Amino acid sequence: LFVSAENYKPDFDLYDYCITLFPDYKFQDRCFTTHPMITHGPNRTAYDKAMQKHYFTMEDLKAKTGFCNFVYSNYNAFKERKEFFDLLSQYKRVDSGGRYMNNIGHSVDNKLEFQSHYKFSIAFDNQYHCFVQEKISDAFGARTIPIYFGNPDVVKQYNPKAFINCHDFNNFSDVVEYVKKVDTDDELYMSMMREPMCDPKFTLEYYLAELESFLVRVVETGTVQRAKELWPVWLEKERSYGRARRLRQEKLAADIGKMFRPLRKTKIAGLIRKKLLWTR
């Protein structure tokens, strides 16, 4: 059984079954698509709060003290995230509370608490995944309106009336114009906030029950379906992921990161991290 909380697909010559985050990923009856909430434990609290986000009042809106937030620490992301941050910042200040592009003087300890003070959250996934990461559900959990970009099929999981989907617009300039409209129209803002995040049935218990059903079937009636015996672990990684080059990059970046650890808070270390995306 291959299990991954990332965007990897297994080689079914090596595995009988898989649990993956890829939506709509099917291979006979051997693959099960789960939800990021199950594999990313800390985000379950955010998801539970997000399921209640539509109980939003005008008093809650009046308590908002900021316009929009941006909380990221991962430099390894597509350039569109920074482009949108810069573009929206021309309209109003966007507070960045993560290590990436930080403009508030410190990194926030509690992401949800920080986000809850803002009307909007930039909820861009790290890459063009075919699954939706936790960014949008975190924004919902903080009771803000997510501005989402990443997976065009996001509407299969989340209510399109409850967030701003960049994929619905021709370009980011049009997105910003719509954000301005929502920002200046309390009635429109409230109508979006009062929309449920998704179908109420999609709770943690729902996803766990679906996962349990799959595991029970695999254990009780599953059969060996792989074409070959398992290979040595080192060869299995390269064959099933096709990631030999990435593994080398990760090792190189990790080694360089150790060398520069004493300088990690200096300006030069920040520049190096931007060049070597895998440096932690």
Side-chain angles (χ1 to χ4, degrees):
L1 176 65
F2 174 92
V3 181
S4 176
E6 297 292 344
N7 55 330
Y8 299 143
K9 294 182 180 180
D11 183 339
F12 281 107
D13 283 343
L14 298 172
Y15 297 94
D16 300 322
Y17 299 93
C18 83
I19 297 172
T20 178
L21 288 183
F22 274 86
D24 303 324
Y25 179 44
K26 305 295 182 184
F27 184 76
Q28 300 171 6
D29 62 346
R30 298 167 62 180
C31 184
F32 175 79
T33 300
T34 187
H35 191 279
M37 176 176 53
I38 292 179
T39 55
H40 297 283
N43 297 310
R44 293 179 186 176
T45 300
Y47 194 88
D48 289 340
K49 290 182 177 180
M51 292 295 287
Q52 306 297 319
K53 53 86 62 180
H54 50 286
Y55 298 113
F56 192 82
T57 66
M58 184 59 72
E59 287 69 29
D60 294 323
L61 175 57
K62 292 177 180 178
K64 299 286 187 183
T65 57
F67 164 61
C68 184
N69 70 81
F70 178 93
V71 186
Y72 295 94
S73 295
N74 186 359
Y75 290 83
N76 183 26
F78 46 42
K79 60 183 178 61
E80 284 84 353
R81 195 160 67 184
K82 181 180 183 303
E83 288 178 0
F84 186 78
F85 173 87
D86 292 337
L87 188 62
L88 187 60
S89 296
Q90 295 176 19
Y91 166 59
K92 283 185 179 180
R93 176 183 170 86
V94 178
D95 286 341
S96 176
R99 293 190 298 274
Y100 178 56
M101 297 179 63
N102 186 284
N103 62 7
I104 64 172
H106 66 278
S107 297
V108 298
D109 295 324
N110 188 321
K111 179 182 178 183
L112 258 64
E113 196 280 330
F114 174 74
Q115 288 184 310
S116 67
H117 297 288
Y118 297 85
K119 295 176 67 176
F120 302 90
S121 295
I122 295 179
F124 278 37
D125 284 341
N126 291 335
Q127 300 175 20
Y128 292 106
H129 291 297
C130 61
F131 67 91
V132 180
Q133 295 181 295
E134 77 284 354
K135 277 70 173 176
I136 186 171
S137 57
D138 282 355
F140 279 130
R143 304 216 296 179
T144 71
I145 291 181
I147 305 171
Y148 179 80
F149 184 75
N151 181 0
D153 291 330
V154 63
V155 293
K156 292 182 179 180
Q157 296 183 44
Y158 295 100
N159 180 0
K161 296 180 181 179
F163 67 99
I164 298 173
N165 184 3
C166 293
H167 298 283
D168 290 339
F169 299 86
N170 293 324
N171 51 59
F172 284 157
S173 294
D174 290 345
V175 177
V176 171
E177 290 303 313
Y178 187 70
V179 172
K180 292 179 182 179
K181 179 179 179 180
V182 178
D183 183 41
T184 55
D185 187 336
D186 287 350
E187 185 176 343
L188 177 57
Y189 185 91
M190 291 298 297
S191 69
M192 295 184 69
M193 287 301 301
R194 287 171 176 163
E195 287 284 341
M197 175 181 70
C198 60
D199 189 318
K201 76 174 183 179
F202 294 133
T203 61
L204 174 60
E205 290 72 23
Y206 171 87
Y207 290 115
L208 287 176
E210 292 286 303
L211 176 60
E212 180 183 16
S213 177
F214 174 77
L215 290 173
V216 168
R217 179 173 64 81
V218 168
V219 171
E220 294 185 349
T221 64
T223 59
V224 176
Q225 301 188 58
R226 58 185 181 271
K228 302 178 178 64
E229 292 298 322
L230 286 177
W231 296 20
V233 173
W234 65 270
L235 188 56
E236 176 189 339
K237 286 183 178 180
E238 298 198 13
R239 175 175 168 80
S240 60
Y241 306 153
R243 62 194 286 246
R245 179 179 178 185
R246 175 175 165 183
L247 289 172
R248 289 194 297 270
Q249 290 175 338
E250 287 182 348
K251 185 177 185 306
L252 174 62
D255 290 343
I256 294 177
K258 291 177 182 178
M259 291 171 53
F260 285 92
R261 186 164 294 166
L263 304 174
R264 65 189 310 170
K265 293 185 178 181
T266 65
K267 184 175 181 180
I268 180 109
L271 294 174
I272 291 172
R273 277 197 295 270
K274 290 180 181 179
K275 286 293 183 181
L276 298 168
L277 299 179
W278 290 103
T279 301
R280 290 176 173 83

